[in-house]
Amino acid sequence: MATQAALESVVHDGPPGGIVLAELGPTAWAGRAGTANLATGRTPRADDRFRVGSITKTFVATVLLQLEEEGKLSLDDTVDHWLPGLVAGNGNDGSKIRLRQLLNHTSGIYSYTEDDTFKQREFSTDFLQHRYETWTPRRIVRLAMTHQPTFAPGDDWSYSDTNYVIASMVIQKATGHSYAHEIEQRILRPLHLVSTSVPGTRVRIPGPSGRAYSKLTGELAGPGEPGGAVYDVTELNPSFAGAAGEMISNGRDLNRFYRALFSGRLLKDRQLKEMMTTVPIENLPNFSYGLGLMKMTLSCGTEAWGHNGGIQGSISQTMATADGDHVLSLNFNGDWNVHEQRVVDAEFCGA
């Protein structure tokens, strides 16, 4: 089978192990390759939980769109309307940035995860000393504000994890509850996503899971030196990622979430259309980005919607057809030399 062969090829070239769950209509298929635990030799399991990284962003955007539908906010509100004075200094101006621009990455706000000091602290071997530290959203935004904007709001597109940390603060202000609470009440419980959680500062992955590994090269998802040291990074305080990428899930839950999203169970037609209205990405003609969703034109011309995600030791992706009938979730338990797109192409294009 093409998808299984692609999964095995990715593991052969990089991470220790990988899992995939594909669903087409009522039919489901699970694949696995490699090793989930280098110490014990345990093989990956289809129901293993993992850190999903930036797939978290689709959940956050869904909540904001639900709040818009309920009249609690407008995506045309400015950041300053909800969080006055938060985005300021070094040319940053929250009075000129709209919530929609946070969600589709046209705000121009610098991504704190690109800060050299942050990368040294979190993605190099320094991580081993800092892995249990807590980051607050305000600390994250303060770090981003030490940098000038990448461009004026609305003038371009640039992926920024800071956008979604700010979005979570807007959710808190608009509802009086944490963004984690709103995701749990609005999405996880109604859809019975029992393997999905928003961990906050909790360092362990609950339930069945393998281990997560990194070469801690200073860059997330870099190639890594062949034969270089491999570190177990499974336990970490994910507050440094927050609403940009802290969630934990598994393939079954992710597939159910995206199927529910595209079938209209979570959003009304108007909000779903907003979510799927994309902006182009310069130099990536096959990609465009909506509100917490990316659209990808695959090698065979098929359009797939979803999100990818990376965090120390874990590379994930969920992609689906626009009607949600065909959906794929994958995870690799290493963050170097991961060519996950091979698996997506194999599943949707058979190559």
Side-chain angles (χ1 to χ4, degrees):
M1 178 177 185
T3 307
Q4 178 66 34
L7 183 69
E8 292 171 1
S9 78
V10 176
V11 169
H12 179 269
D13 291 343
I19 51 177
V20 59
L21 179 63
E23 297 178 54
L24 178 58
T27 304
W29 173 82
R32 63 184 185 177
T35 306
N37 187 321
L38 293 175
T40 67
R42 171 192 176 302
T43 56
R45 299 172 188 162
D47 64 343
D48 277 347
R49 300 179 189 182
F50 46 84
R51 300 187 190 277
V52 306
S54 287
I55 294 174
T56 303
K57 291 180 171 72
T58 311
F59 288 83
V60 174
T62 300
V63 169
L64 271 167
L65 283 158
Q66 288 180 342
L67 292 173
E68 180 191 58
E69 178 188 308
E70 294 161 12
K72 293 184 171 68
L73 55 76
S74 167
L75 294 190
D76 292 321
D77 291 342
T78 66
V79 172
D80 260 17
H81 174 82
W82 290 101
L83 304 166
L86 178 72
V87 176
N90 285 313
N92 294 283
D93 186 350
S95 71
K96 296 179 178 177
I97 298 169
R98 303 195 180 277
L99 302 187
R100 187 185 316 277
Q101 294 170 327
L102 297 177
L103 298 186
N104 67 12
H105 296 298
T106 61
S107 72
I109 295 173
Y110 182 87
S111 183
Y112 72 97
T113 49
E114 293 299 317
D115 177 85
D116 288 341
T117 301
F118 180 89
K119 289 198 290 186
Q120 178 73 22
R121 190 183 192 94
E122 297 294 339
F123 302 140
S124 78
T125 53
D126 288 4
F127 163 84
L128 301 172
Q129 284 74 52
H130 297 291
R131 67 196 301 169
Y132 301 123
E133 291 183 4
T134 294
W135 286 73
T136 64
R138 288 195 174 271
R139 179 186 177 189
I140 286 170
V141 177
R142 280 199 303 270
L143 174 59
M145 293 302 104
T146 65
H147 296 267
Q148 293 181 348
T150 309
F151 48 80
D155 277 3
D156 204 345
W157 184 92
S158 182
Y159 193 88
S160 174
D161 288 308
T162 314
N163 286 330
Y164 276 76
V165 175
I166 296 171
S168 74
M169 299 170 77
V170 172
I171 292 171
Q172 170 103 37
K173 192 71 176 288
T175 66
H177 301 121
S178 69
Y179 94 95
H181 173 88
E182 293 298 321
I183 285 176
E184 288 161 5
Q185 295 299 314
R186 294 167 174 273
I187 302 174
L188 305 190
R189 290 188 182 183
L191 296 181
H192 306 291
L193 304 184
V194 296
S195 298
T196 305
S197 57
V198 189
T201 59
R202 297 187 295 275
V203 303
R204 291 182 174 84
I205 299 175
S209 66
R211 305 299 291 179
Y213 301 97
S214 178
K215 293 197 174 184
L216 296 176
T217 62
E219 295 282 350
L220 185 63
E225 289 294 327
V230 173
Y231 301 90
D232 187 319
V233 296
T234 311
E235 293 185 1
L236 55 83
N237 181 333
S239 61
F240 74 90
E246 72 170 286
M247 289 181 68
I248 292 167
S249 191
N250 68 4
R252 183 193 65 87
D253 276 13
L254 290 175
N255 283 1
R256 180 177 292 182
F257 166 61
Y258 279 93
R259 284 188 130 175
L261 179 63
F262 293 128
S263 68
R265 288 184 60 191
L266 295 172
L267 296 174
K268 297 281 180 63
D269 287 348
R270 177 173 171 267
Q271 275 70 36
L272 185 57
K273 185 178 179 181
E274 277 193 281
M275 192 180 215
M276 298 176 76
T277 299
T278 64
V279 294
I281 302 173
E282 190 176 357
N283 301 323
L284 290 173
N286 294 330
F287 289 80
S288 59
Y289 201 92
L291 306 183
L293 273 182
M294 65 181 188
K295 180 175 75 169
M296 182 189 309
T297 303
L298 304 177
S299 59
C300 56
T302 295
E303 285 187 353
W305 295 80
H307 216 289
N308 55 10
I311 193 168
Q312 292 96 322
S314 181
I315 301 295
S316 308
Q317 190 164 349
T318 301
M319 300 302 293
T321 51
D323 59 3
D325 190 53
H326 191 179
V327 61
L328 163 83
S329 289
L330 60 84
N331 173 260
F332 292 97
N333 66 334
D335 61 18
W336 67 94
N337 206 34
V338 178
H339 299 287
E340 71 274 17
Q341 197 55 41
R342 290 181 197 167
V343 182
V344 177
D345 273 332
E347 176 62 28
F348 289 95
C349 296

